[in-house]
Structure formats: structure tokens, C-alpha cells
Amino acid sequence: MGRIMLIRILFFLLIISLTKLMPCCAIEVISSLASVIGAAVVSLIPIGWNAAKCRMYECCDEPWIKSNFAGLNSDLGHRLYGQHLVKETVFKTLKGHLWHKKSGKALVMSFHGWTGVGKNYASQIIAENLYKNGMKSKFVHFFVSTRDFQFQDRVAQYKADLQEHIQKAIKECPHSLFIFDEIDKMPEGVIDALKPFIDHNPSFDDLDYTRAIYIFLSNTGAAEISKVAFEFWLEGKDRTEITLKDIEPLINKGAFNEKGGLSKSDIIQKSLIDIYVPFLPLEKQHVIHCINDDLKMKGHSLKYSIIQEIAGQIEYFPTEFELFSTTGCKRVSRKVDLVIDDD
């Protein structure tokens, strides 16, 4: 809007100058200039309106769309407990995708692990560092299989609806984030609706599908991940010594063969998932971190006896070792409420 005002001022000064210097032909000159400058002003009105609108409403541009790499790296390391592989792989993968504007392909990440280990939380952290409104952004699209894709006999309709949704979302903002929770409970075949959008160099219409990000959340492969973590523990190795190479092939195989949304899918066969991210099972030390966070959030003091009592009410496996939490940190908040109320 400032540019339009400047043009108007310059036009007014030009008129005054012309009427003084060339009174005989000032009217014709002014008329011609008015047409040219008027057209320029009209063409700038949409630009000015869009800029003003983006100050008030969320749009597909800064400051609503951001790439807070420092915040993402810090949050994955300090807010997500016991998941060194997640921090390393997710941060580097996202940074590479967002920095290279011409990757030729949308980014697809598949998160695997038991319930409560941080898959949803990691997705939330990503959204918070990429969008000003975080998970509430209209450019973040969250699907839950048990809610949005309940019936096996509606696969064809689900696929059509999903493709229409994605096309509309990308048209509104190419930098969209799509999160699919409980994908292991999705009817087989539905996820293949994404294939045209996540394939290399999609060119079936004029939209740019390569800037989008897709995240799958699944329990498939969790048993294999836990087995690797347990074997490292038995050998006296620290869990931070586990590498992506130790686990990723197992997850890939499990996701393809285990019953669920990724089973026998084209997107796995065509290698369209860019990275499989393993979430390790949480040990008691990690559960205690979650207990401390919950107590702080609720304004309670961090009493050692209370913390140990809450941690002791969580179930662990294998039974003879009580090493890993069966529900991760998922039930921590309810356990805190129960113990604090009794105390």
C-alpha cells in the first residue's frame, strides 16, 4: 500500500511541474500519463491487498511459513527423550529437503515404534518449527486411520477423496504438511492414493507437489526395533550406539509384510518412502523425564519419592528385566494425577 501512495504523490508533483513548464500542452501529456500511471496503480492493488491480508490472516508465506532449523534441532534433542536416531535423521532430512528447492520429489518419512514413544510428539515439534500456528495451521493436515478410513469396503472412495483433498491443499499452499496417524490400521490400498503426488517429478497438472512433506505414523516394525535395542542392552552397549543401518532394513521389511496400510503397497515397492525413522522403546530413565515434565507443567514439586512411585506404576517389559515401558510415556499424565491426588 505504501508503493501506491508514493506513486500518487509523484504523479501529483509531476502534474504541477508540467502545468508550469508547458501550459499549452499540459492537458494532453497529463492525460496520457494518467492512463499509464493509473494502470500501474490498478496492477499494484492486488499486491497491496495480498500483503495486507497476510498480516491479518494465515497465508502460504512468511511469517506463517518458516524454517526454524535451530529450534527444530533443539526441540528434537531436548523435548524428545531417548530418541537419538530421530533427532539425527529427521533434522538432517528436513533441512536437506527445505534447503534444496528443486529436489524433484515430495519428502516422505515413516515413523515406526510402540505407542507412547514420541511419534506424534515429534510430528508436533516439526509442525511448530515449520508453521507459525503449529498443528493448528490450516496447512497442516492430520488424518487418523481409525477415524477417517474406517471401512475396508470404501477404499475406492477414500482414495478419491484423499486425492481431491491433497490437490486442493497443494493449490492453496505447496508447502503443506500431511500427517497420517495409525497407518497400520488403515485399509490396504488407501495409501497408494498418494503415489502420483510423492513420485519423482510429478507432472500430471500445473501444481508443484515437490515441496510438500508427508509423515506416516505406525506401530509396524516396533517388535524388531525393540529386539535390536534389547540385544544392545544385553551386550552391555549403550543405546546411542544403535545406528539407522541396524534397524531401517527391518522396518522396511516389516512395513511391507505386516498387515496394515503399508502392506504390499506400491509406494514401498517403488521406494517412494525416503526414510524410515525408528523410535526406540523408552526405558525407566526416559519415563522419569516425562514424569518430571508433567509435574512441572501442573505446578507440582519434584519430590523424589513421588517420582519413583509414579515410575513404579508403569508396566515394563521384558517382565524379568522390567527394562522398557509398555506404553512409553503415554500413561504418565494420568498416573501423575492419581498419585498426586492420593498424596
Side-chain angles (χ1 to χ4, degrees):
M1 297 301 287
R3 283 178 289 184
I4 296 175
M5 183 61 68
L6 179 60
I7 289 174
R8 288 175 176 169
I9 293 171
L10 292 173
F11 181 53
F12 178 73
L13 292 175
L14 183 61
I15 291 174
I16 294 174
S17 300
L18 287 172
T19 53
K20 289 181 178 180
L21 295 174
M22 298 180 295
C24 61
C25 54
I27 294 176
E28 289 80 0
V29 175
I30 290 171
S31 178
S32 299
L33 285 172
S35 299
V36 175
I37 295 176
V41 170
V42 170
S43 67
L44 285 171
I45 287 175
I47 298 174
W49 165 244
N50 288 336
K53 185 175 69 173
C54 283
R55 293 193 188 99
M56 298 181 290
Y57 304 103
E58 185 178 20
C59 63
C60 188
D61 205 345
E62 295 180 345
W64 305 100
I65 305 292
K66 58 181 182 176
S67 296
N68 184 10
F69 295 125
L72 177 63
N73 190 40
S74 176
D75 288 346
L76 289 173
H78 295 100
R79 292 170 58 189
L80 201 62
Y81 300 118
Q83 305 297 353
H84 69 285
L85 291 175
V86 178
K87 178 187 175 183
E88 294 171 6
T89 56
V90 170
F91 176 71
K92 291 179 181 178
T93 304
L94 275 171
K95 188 176 181 181
H97 175 73
L98 295 170
W99 267 13
H100 298 93
K101 304 300 182 183
K102 296 183 179 180
S103 61
K105 184 186 180 302
L107 174 61
V108 185
M109 298 187 292
S110 193
F111 293 177
H112 296 261
W114 292 123
T115 183
V117 294
K119 300 187 298 293
N120 270 289
Y121 195 32
S123 302
Q124 178 184 326
I125 288 173
I126 291 170
E128 289 173 357
N129 285 284
L130 298 187
Y131 302 89
K132 183 178 180 180
N133 288 343
M135 290 295 293
K136 295 181 180 179
S137 170
K138 65 180 181 179
F139 307 128
V140 175
H141 307 266
F142 188 76
F143 301 90
V144 180
S145 293
T146 52
R147 178 193 66 195
D148 302 309
F149 312 106
Q150 298 183 47
F151 307 106
Q152 183 68 48
D153 59 351
R154 298 182 186 177
V155 169
Q157 186 61 51
Y158 290 149
K159 292 176 72 173
D161 292 343
L162 186 54
Q163 289 187 338
E164 181 180 2
H165 183 103
I166 291 174
Q167 285 179 299
K168 287 182 178 179
I170 296 298
K171 186 175 183 180
E172 185 174 13
C173 183
H175 300 276
S176 292
L177 172 62
F178 302 92
I179 303 171
F180 294 84
D181 193 12
E182 299 182 333
I183 200 169
D184 49 304
K185 297 178 177 63
M186 178 185 287
E188 291 183 19
V190 174
I191 201 62
D192 281 334
L194 303 184
K195 186 177 179 296
F197 310 112
I198 63 176
D199 211 337
H200 296 272
N201 300 306
S203 58
F204 54 90
D205 58 28
D206 295 329
L207 301 178
D208 181 8
Y209 294 96
T210 65
R211 306 315 305 155
I213 299 170
Y214 297 81
I215 300 176
F216 304 152
L217 312 181
S218 173
N219 288 341
T220 56
E224 289 80 0
I225 296 170
S226 296
K227 182 180 179 181
V228 172
F230 184 57
E231 288 174 350
F232 267 69
W233 181 80
L234 285 176
E235 294 172 8
K237 298 179 181 178
D238 193 278
R239 63 192 279 136
T240 57
E241 296 180 54
I242 300 174
T243 67
L244 192 62
K245 186 178 179 180
D246 294 320
I247 300 180
E248 191 175 31
L250 300 175
I251 301 176
N252 189 344
K253 183 178 179 181
F256 184 74
N257 292 316
E258 288 184 32
K259 185 178 180 180
L262 293 173
S263 178
K264 308 297 186 295
S265 65
D266 285 344
I267 64 173
I268 291 184
Q269 287 184 320
K270 301 295 183 182
S271 300
L272 297 180
I273 295 178
D274 298 294
I275 189 164
Y276 294 88
V277 183
F279 283 69
L280 301 176
L282 299 186
E283 299 175 10
K284 188 174 184 178
Q285 58 173 317
H286 306 122
V287 173
I288 288 175
H289 283 303
C290 295
I291 294 171
N292 289 341
D293 287 346
D294 198 74
L295 287 170
K296 289 177 184 177
M297 182 184 68
K298 294 174 179 175
H300 300 301
S301 59
L302 305 181
K303 291 176 63 176
Y304 177 80
S305 59
I306 294 295
I307 294 170
Q308 291 300 314
E309 182 179 353
I310 297 169
Q313 292 196 14
I314 303 293
E315 294 182 15
Y316 300 90
F317 73 97
T319 307
E320 60 271 30
F321 298 106
E322 293 194 341
L323 180 60
F324 303 124
S325 169
T326 58
T327 54
C329 285
K330 197 165 190 176
R331 300 181 64 191
V332 162
S333 187
R334 292 289 175 260
K335 295 295 184 182
V336 167
D337 292 338
L338 288 172
V339 172
I340 291 297
D341 186 60
D342 291 341
D343 185 61

